[in-house]
């Protein structure tokens, strides 16, 4: 396979379609040949095999693979995130550690939000704290959790925020500048919050397009622009939104999402319908 080609495979179904010696069940992944996990997807590898085994608890579900290499020190880390736990990869023995390094307080199935920042990973889900993961050590940095997260203008930004006792689905919150662990409000901190209009009902997606936060709701799209230490928010579209959690997909800073009457793409401020052209990428029948 050419180095420029990419194969995207579901983590819980259909892995055996890639090659005869790749097998998968709902709870086990074994012998992955010529592919490597990166940014939550399987990508074509340029050398060697990636052989890993991860056995989850009955009823658990693998959601994300997060792989990153530090931009200066060049070391790598790989984590698997399920609905219940976080697992660390053992590069020395080519397998995931059997014991999870963290367990979520809220284990029911829902969105997993995870972003890497230099040598650390920040993971959260609804009704569970934001967790800082560094070399297999996990530290809870907030009492609240969220469905979505991004790094935007050197802030950790989360959306659709919740605690163990309740949810604020139209709330956006962000950390202090260069400090993803600090969400305390003060005159010397850039940490703050913003709540969308009630008619937006729920935030269903959050992306970063060229330094601008793009916030998707059931009924509209908002943007958050950063200037002079502050984010300012404004509605971008009020007649189209993203209907489903986890349905916003970003490819080369273009967002694709599911609206009420069509599949749409958003490139900056330009909204386009995908329409019937999308079906050329699928086999039907």
């Amino acid at each position: 396979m050419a180095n420029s080609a990419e194969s995207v495979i579901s983590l819980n179904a259909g892995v055996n379609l890639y090659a005869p010696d790749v097998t998968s069940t709902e709870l086990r992944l074994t012998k992955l040949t010529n592919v490597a996990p990166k940014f939550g997807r399987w990508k074509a590898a340029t050398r060697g095999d990636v052989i890993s085994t991860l056995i989850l608890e009955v009823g658990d579900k693998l959601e994300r693979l997060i792989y990153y290499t530090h931009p200066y020190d060049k070391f790598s880390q790989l984590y698997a995130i399920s609905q219940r736990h976080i697992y660390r990869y053992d590069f020395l023995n080519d397998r995931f550690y059997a014991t999870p390094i963290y367990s979520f307080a809220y284990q029911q199935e829902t969105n997993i939000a995870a972003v890497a920042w230099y040598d650390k990973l920040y993971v959260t889900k609804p009704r569970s704290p934001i967790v800082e993961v560094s070399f297999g050590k996990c530290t809870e940095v907030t009492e609240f959790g969220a469905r979505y997260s991004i790094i935007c203008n050197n802030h950790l930004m989360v959306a659709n925020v919740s605690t163990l006792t309740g949810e604020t689905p139209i709330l956006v919150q962000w950390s202090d500048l260069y400090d993803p662990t600090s969400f305390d409000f003060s005159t010397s901190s850039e940490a703050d919050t913003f709540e969308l209009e009630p008619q937006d009902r729920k935030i269903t997606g959050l992306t970063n397009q060229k330094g601008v936060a793009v916030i998707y709701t059931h009924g509209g799209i908002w943007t958050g622009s950063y200037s002079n230490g502050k984010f300012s928010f404004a509605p971008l579209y009020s007649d189209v939104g993203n209907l489903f959690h986890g349905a916003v997909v970003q490819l080369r800073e273009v967002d694709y999402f599911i609206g009420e009457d069509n599949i749409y793409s958003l490139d900056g401020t330009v909204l386009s319908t995908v329409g019937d052209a999308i079906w050329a990428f699928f086999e039907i029948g």
Side-chain angles (χ1 to χ4, degrees), residues 142 144 155-156 158 161 171-177 179 181-195:
T142 64
F144 60 85
H155 301 74
L156 174 58
V158 296
V161 177
L171 185 67
V172 181
Q173 188 160 347
W174 57 95
S175 73
D176 193 10
L177 182 67
D179 190 351
T181 67
S182 177
F183 286 83
D184 296 331
F185 307 139
S186 71
T187 56
S188 60
S189 172
E190 293 187 10
D192 208 341
T193 65
F194 179 79
E195 193 164 334

Side-chain angles (χ1 to χ4, degrees), residues 12 26-27 55-63 81-87 100 104 107-109 125:
N12 61 353
E26 184 177 1
L27 303 176
I55 301 177
L56 302 180
E57 300 172 356
V58 174
D60 199 3
K61 181 181 178 183
L62 184 62
E63 291 290 346
I81 306 172
S82 73
Q83 283 289 339
R84 299 179 182 177
H85 306 291
I86 302 174
Y87 297 86
F104 294 106
Q107 298 203 340
Q108 282 84 341
E109 185 172 342
K125 64 182 291 189

Side-chain angles (χ1 to χ4, degrees), residues 17 26 51 59 92 112 132 202 211 247 252 255:
L17 298 178
E26 184 177 1
I51 302 175
L92 182 62
I112 299 290
E132 181 183 77
K202 286 185 178 182
R252 297 183 181 90
D255 294 344

Side-chain angles (χ1 to χ4, degrees), residues 26-100:
E26 184 177 1
L27 303 176
R28 177 188 287 267
L29 296 172
T30 59
K31 192 166 180 61
L32 308 176
T33 304
N34 297 324
V35 292
K38 190 171 184 180
F39 305 123
R41 297 183 289 180
W42 300 123
K43 286 196 169 185
T46 55
R47 66 173 187 269
D49 296 342
V50 178
I51 302 175
S52 64
T53 300
L54 175 60
I55 301 177
L56 302 180
E57 300 172 356
V58 174
D60 199 3
K61 181 181 178 183
L62 184 62
E63 291 290 346
R64 299 284 303 275
L65 292 172
I66 300 291
Y67 174 90
Y68 64 86
T69 301
H70 191 281
Y72 305 119
D73 297 334
K74 303 303 180 184
F75 60 80
S76 298
Q77 293 284 287
L78 172 64
Y79 297 96
I81 306 172
S82 73
Q83 283 289 339
R84 299 179 182 177
H85 306 291
I86 302 174
Y87 297 86
R88 188 187 183 194
Y89 191 75
D90 179 3
F91 284 97
L92 182 62
N93 295 300
D94 290 331
R95 63 184 298 117
F96 283 97
Y97 291 101
T99 303

Side-chain angles (χ1 to χ4, degrees), residues 4 24 64 118 194 223:
S4 60
S24 171
R64 299 284 303 275
Y118 288 98
F194 179 79
T223 58

Side-chain angles (χ1 to χ4, degrees), residues 4 48 114 123 145 209:
S4 60
V123 185
Q209 287 201 9

